[in-house]
Amino acid sequence: MIEFSRLYFFLGASLALLLVPGPAVLYITARSANQGRLAGLVSVLAIETANFLQAVAATLGLSAILLSSALAFDIVKYLGAAYLIYLGVRKHCAPDNETENGAIKPESLSRIYWQGVASNLLNP
C-alpha cells in the first residue's frame, strides 16, 4: 500500500514540474512576444523538429550512448553551454537592433527556426 506522505510528496513534485515552464516554452513565448504570432509559430515548428530529431536519435540508440557515456553527455552539455554563451556575446557585441522609432528589427524566420532547433537539440 502507498503511504499518503509519499503520495502527497509525489503529487506536489508533479504539480511543480507541470507549472514551471521549460526552456522551450520560454523560447516560444519570448519570440512570440518580441516578433509576433508568425515568429512564435516558427519557434514551435523548430522546437518540434528538434523533438522529432531527438526521438529518432533515441530510436537509433544514441540516447543510450549519452546515458552510458559520461563523456558524450558532457560534450552535449558543454556544447549547449557554449551555444548560449555565443548567443549572449553576439547579442552584447552586436549593434542595437532598434530602429529610429524604438521598434526592434525583426530577425529572419529562418534564423529563428535554426536557433530554436539548436537550442532544443543542445538541451540535455
Side-chain angles (χ1 to χ4, degrees), residues 7-120:
L7 182 61
Y8 290 135
F9 180 72
F10 174 76
L11 290 175
S14 299
L15 183 63
L17 287 173
L18 286 172
L19 293 178
V20 175
V25 172
L26 293 175
Y27 177 77
I28 293 166
T29 305
R31 283 293 183 189
S32 298
N34 198 12
Q35 289 189 242
R37 182 180 296 164
L38 184 59
L41 290 174
V42 169
S43 300
V44 169
L45 180 64
I47 297 298
E48 291 308 317
T49 301
N51 286 341
F52 175 74
L53 291 174
Q54 288 176 346
V56 169
T59 303
L60 296 175
L62 295 177
S63 296
I65 293 171
L66 285 177
L67 284 174
S68 64
S69 170
L71 177 64
F73 181 77
D74 284 343
I75 288 171
V76 171
K77 182 171 64 172
Y78 290 125
L79 278 175
Y83 180 67
L84 290 176
I85 291 169
Y86 162 75
L87 288 177
V89 168
R90 197 180 103 221
K91 184 75 169 171
H92 181 70
C93 294
D96 280 341
N97 277 345
E98 292 188 10
T99 60
E100 292 136 12
N101 60 2
I104 295 174
K105 293 179 189 173
E107 289 193 47
S108 70
L109 294 179
S110 64
R111 179 177 284 267
I112 291 171
Y113 177 80
W114 289 112
Q115 281 181 350
V117 170
S119 67
N120 203 30

